[in-house]
Each structure stands twice: as C-alpha cells, then as structure tokens.
Amino acid sequence: MVNGRRERKDAQRNLERVLQAAHELFAERGSDVTMEEVARRAGVGVGTIYRRFPSKEHLWAAVSHAACMDAQQCLYQATAQQHDPVGKLRALIMVQYRRSEEQSALLDMRPEAASESCANSSDQQQLYAALHAMLQEVIVEGQRRGTIRQGAPDVLAALCLELLNPRTFLHLRHIVGGSAEDCAEHAVQFVVAALSARG
Amino acid sequence: MVNGRRERKDAQRNLERVLQAAHELFAERGSDVTMEEVARRAGVGVGTIYRRFPSKEHLWAAVSHAACMDAQQCLYQATAQQHDPVGKLRALIMVQYRRSEEQSALLDMRPEAASESCANSSDQQQLYAALHAMLQEVIVEGQRRGTIRQGAPDVLAALCLELLNPRTFLHLRHIVGGSAEDCAEHAVQFVVAALSARG
DNA sequence: GCCAAAGTGGAATGTCGCGTCCGTTTTCCA
DNA sequence: TGGAAAACGGACGCGACATTCCACTTTGGC
C-alpha cells in the first residue's frame, strides 16, 4: 500500500505465517527458539522474517504484545461478568489457567527480572501489573464487604498472583493429573481460604 | 594424593577459589555466567577450571549440589525444632526466604522443566521434592490433629511450595520493601489462612 | 638446589545463533 | 505481456562462548 502500490499478497501471507509460527514456538518454548526454526516452521527464509522485524527481540515483542493484549482482554471480560469478589477471583484463575495450558512460555513473566534480553517483554510486565491490579481491586472490594480479611491488599494480591503463574499451573497439573479446570478449582479453594475473613 | 604424592597446595587452593567464585556468581545470576567470568573472579585461567570440571555443567552441578544439600539440611533442622504444624510451616518459610535473599538463582527450581541444559540440576529437583515432602508431612500431621483443613495433601503442598519459591520472595520483597523476615511473615499468614481448618 | 610431575593461564579452535547481503523469483501495473 | 519494483531465501560474516592445547611455572621429593 506504500507509494500507491498494493501490498503484495505473498508478503501479506508470509507475514501471517511468520507470526503464527513464532506464536506457536514461543508459546511452547519461550524465546530460546532459533530464528531459523521460526523460518522453517513458517515455510520461509530467515531473510523474510528480517524484512519485517529488525531483530529477534522485535519479533518476540510483536508476538508477546498480541498475546498479552489478548490475555488482558480475556481477564477483563471474565471478571466483568462476575459481581462478587469470590466469583471474580474464580474467573481470573480459570481464565489464566486455561490460557496457561497452551501458552505457558509466552505468559510466564517475572516482573522482578526486568532486563533479561527479550525473555521478558514490557508487555508481559504490563500484563502482570494489570493482573495484580485486578486482584488488588477484588481484594479491596471484598474487604469493604467484609468477606475478605484485612491486610495490605497489594501484598495479598502479590501472593495470589504467584498462584496464577503458568508455572504454578504446570506444576499443579503434573500432580493433580486432571484438566486445567480441575487444577484451577484447587487453586480457587486455596486462594479463597487464604483470603476469607475468619468466621 | 594420587600416586603417593601429596596434592599440591596451590591446586587445592585454586579449587576452593573456583568453587567459591562459581557459587557467588551462580547464586546471583544463575547459570548464564561465562566460564571466563568465573575464572576471573577466582583469579585463575579457564584451563584451571577445566582441569577439575570437564564442562560447565559439571561445575554447575557441583555448586548446585553443595547448595541444595546445605539448604535441605537447614530446612530439616529448622522443622525438627518445631513441634506443631504451624510452627513447622513458619520455620520452612523463614529459612527458605532468608536463603533466597542470597541465593535466589541457585535455589530457583522448576520441577516441570527438567531438561533445560544445566539451568536445572537434578539436585534442585531433589530439593524441590524434599521440600514438597516436608510440606506434605506437615499438612498430614495438621489434618490428623484437626488444625489443617481436609483436602489432598500433595495438592495443598504443591500450592504452598509455589509460595516458597525464591521468585515469590523477590516479588514480595519488591512490594513489601521490608526485610526477608517481614516478607516471610506475610507469606506465613497467607499460607496458614489457606490451610487452616474452618472455625 | 635439581628435576620430574603436576598444575597453570590464556591464545587458539570449534560451534552456534543472529543478522546481512545479493542473485533470483514473484507480483503488480500499464 | 513486459518490465520495474517488491519480496524472497539461504549462504555468509561475525561475535560470543564453551572447550582444548601446550609452552611455561610451581611444587614436592630427594
């Protein structure tokens, strides 16, 4: 579409293939994937990738950005449909765990390790922050209603957040052996118990 | 000491220096440390390291082994001095968090990712397993006494375990801003609430 | 103090993955 | 259909590391 000329459709198709391939590989194995692997899976040459993305980090950022925006969107929607804090908590855990099943490496984020090359994009950190904020909001609301015990909301949210990490899901999955939903249910029980106001 | 001849004392000294340097660097930054960095910090040449350890993985394994054995020892001792489940839980968290302060990268283990080159040694997995077993034992005992709620002990232990990971500590530390003990106390409150039998 | 064995350091080598370059192929417009 | 422009792909260059090699140094036994 540049300079009055339509974008060539092979170029368009290849961009899609590259993004698709990169998404699949990154989601599964994180950023320690070779550019050549991505190219091979996409059925193109490495040069084609570099035409669109100046570096591996840029490709990672693009894939990560899309995945994180999507995840954030899903999390917002899921909580919006719930009206009590416990329901919102359950929704967050369910959604996060279901996504972890397919995209553990892409969603795995460690906010404290901000500088490790492209393994952690700022989008992941933003997703983490958004999730932390959502949890905190739920906790504050629960405290207002008296269903969630007192205590610094940011700290409680941080502890819950650890249990929402894809790694936790994988670990749990390994032990429980059941579906993502089964695992999520265990985590929900645990978190709810940890947060509930004492009887 | 081989072949009737004493081990040269420069060799012995250098081995100690290498292990010390490797421990410091690995503890801080994990296995993405250059052999040359280790050599430099130890004040030796890389050749000297390779004389003792056939590969970087072997060096990592040696350092990791020592750290994990030591950690396991500390955890056992700490729980042995406590006589009720909650006390044992508190002790485990306190000890683990204090160690995390210095050795987060060495103790950080992800049992589900067993094959990622040398970043995860089998010792780390064993430490993880031991910690999981200790938690499980504490939980079973608490359930017997009626102070800990019912539920699959392995699953409950797995969820607690996530909160004992050095990453969790670092994240919490960042938010709380206090000492390792402060962070541990928050985690203890959370875990105890999550596990307590309902009133 | 002498010397053979043990140990040392760091330059050289091999491997691997990122990113570039350019001859070839495809597409689009007229 | 012809040809210019855009896109392609994969061989190649390069830097970063792990590991090897060997001329040189230190040590322990005599």
Side-chain angles (χ1 to χ4, degrees):
Chain A
M1 217 197 291
V2 181
N3 201 12
R5 205 175 176 114
R6 261 211 315 286
E7 184 186 28
R8 279 171 53 164
K9 61 173 181 290
D10 57 343
Q12 198 174 319
R13 181 174 44 76
N14 282 339
L15 176 61
E16 280 164 22
R17 283 187 184 178
V18 166
L19 285 171
Q20 173 69 19
H23 177 89
E24 289 169 15
L25 290 169
F26 286 156
E28 193 183 329
R29 289 167 37 208
S31 60
D32 66 340
V33 170
T34 291
M35 289 301 262
E36 235 174 84
E37 277 181 286
V38 176
R40 209 178 316 127
R41 159 103 54 142
V44 304
V46 283
T48 301
I49 302 180
Y50 281 99
R51 162 165 298 269
R52 300 306 193 107
F53 304 96
S55 75
K56 184 180 180 181
E57 294 201 22
H58 283 81
L59 175 59
W60 169 267
V63 169
S64 175
H65 180 79
C68 289
M69 291 301 106
D70 188 40
Q72 210 168 319
Q73 178 71 13
C74 288
L75 290 165
Y76 273 126
Q77 281 187 351
T79 49
Q81 293 169 352
Q82 300 292 323
H83 296 296
D84 65 302
V86 170
K88 282 175 192 272
L89 270 180
R90 167 171 274 111
L92 286 174
I93 295 175
M94 287 287 174
V95 168
Q96 182 73 1
Y97 276 19
R98 195 154 351 180
R99 296 185 74 84
S100 292
E101 196 157 24
E102 288 296 326
Q103 309 191 14
S104 60
L106 255 180
L107 298 179
D108 181 35
M109 48 237 141
R110 308 169 257 164
E112 73 285 359
S115 59
E116 290 179 31
S117 77
C118 59
N120 280 358
S121 67
S122 62
D123 290 289
Q124 287 181 316
Q125 290 175 48
Q126 191 194 318
L127 172 58
Y128 221 97
L131 198 40
H132 188 257
M134 285 185 237
L135 286 167
Q136 208 170 324
E137 198 175 317
V138 166
I139 288 167
V140 167
E141 171 63 12
Q143 288 177 331
R144 202 182 56 73
R145 295 193 192 190
T147 55
I148 285 182
R149 69 183 169 88
Q150 294 308 303
D154 56 349
V155 174
L156 292 175
L159 286 160
C160 294
L161 193 53
E162 291 299 323
L163 299 174
L164 284 177
N165 195 294
R167 290 210 192 287
T168 303
F169 166 72
L170 289 178
H171 186 192
L172 217 52
R173 185 79 190 271
H174 188 249
I175 285 174
V176 172
S179 65
E181 276 76 13
D182 289 341
C183 294
E185 192 52 41
H186 281 286
V188 167
Q189 298 303 328
F190 190 89
V191 167
V192 167
L195 295 178
S196 288
R198 311 267 63 195
Chain B
M1 221 194 292
V2 180
N3 200 12
R5 204 177 179 115
R6 263 213 310 288
E7 183 186 26
R8 278 170 54 165
K9 61 174 182 287
D10 58 341
Q12 198 175 319
R13 180 173 45 75
N14 282 339
L15 175 60
E16 278 164 23
R17 282 187 185 178
V18 166
L19 284 171
Q20 173 68 19
H23 178 89
E24 289 169 15
L25 290 168
F26 286 155
E28 194 183 329
R29 290 166 37 207
S31 60
D32 66 339
V33 169
T34 290
M35 288 301 261
E36 234 173 84
E37 277 181 286
V38 176
R40 208 178 318 126
R41 160 104 54 143
V44 303
V46 282
T48 300
I49 302 181
Y50 280 96
R51 159 165 298 268
R52 301 306 193 109
F53 304 97
S55 75
K56 184 180 178 181
E57 295 200 21
H58 284 80
L59 175 59
W60 169 266
V63 170
S64 176
H65 180 78
C68 289
M69 290 303 105
D70 187 40
Q72 211 168 319
Q73 178 71 12
C74 288
L75 291 165
Y76 274 126
Q77 281 187 351
T79 50
Q81 294 170 351
Q82 301 293 322
H83 297 294
D84 64 303
V86 171
K88 283 174 191 273
L89 270 179
R90 165 171 277 111
L92 286 174
I93 296 175
M94 285 290 173
V95 168
Q96 180 74 1
Y97 276 19
R98 196 153 350 177
R99 296 183 74 83
S100 293
E101 196 158 22
E102 288 297 326
Q103 309 191 16
S104 60
L106 255 182
L107 298 179
D108 181 36
M109 49 238 142
R110 308 170 255 165
E112 73 285 358
S115 60
E116 288 179 32
S117 77
C118 59
N120 280 355
S121 67
S122 62
D123 290 290
Q124 287 180 316
Q125 290 173 48
Q126 192 195 317
L127 172 60
Y128 222 97
L131 198 41
H132 187 256
M134 286 185 236
L135 286 166
Q136 209 169 323
E137 197 175 318
V138 166
I139 288 167
V140 168
E141 171 64 10
Q143 288 177 332
R144 201 181 58 72
R145 296 193 192 189
T147 55
I148 285 183
R149 69 182 169 88
Q150 294 306 304
D154 57 347
V155 174
L156 292 175
L159 285 160
C160 293
L161 193 54
E162 290 300 324
L163 299 175
L164 284 178
N165 195 294
R167 289 211 192 289
T168 304
F169 167 71
L170 289 177
H171 186 191
L172 216 53
R173 184 81 191 270
H174 188 249
I175 285 174
V176 173
S179 65
E181 276 75 13
D182 290 342
C183 294
E185 193 50 42
H186 281 288
V188 167
Q189 297 303 328
F190 191 88
V191 167
V192 168
L195 294 179
S196 287
R198 310 268 63 195

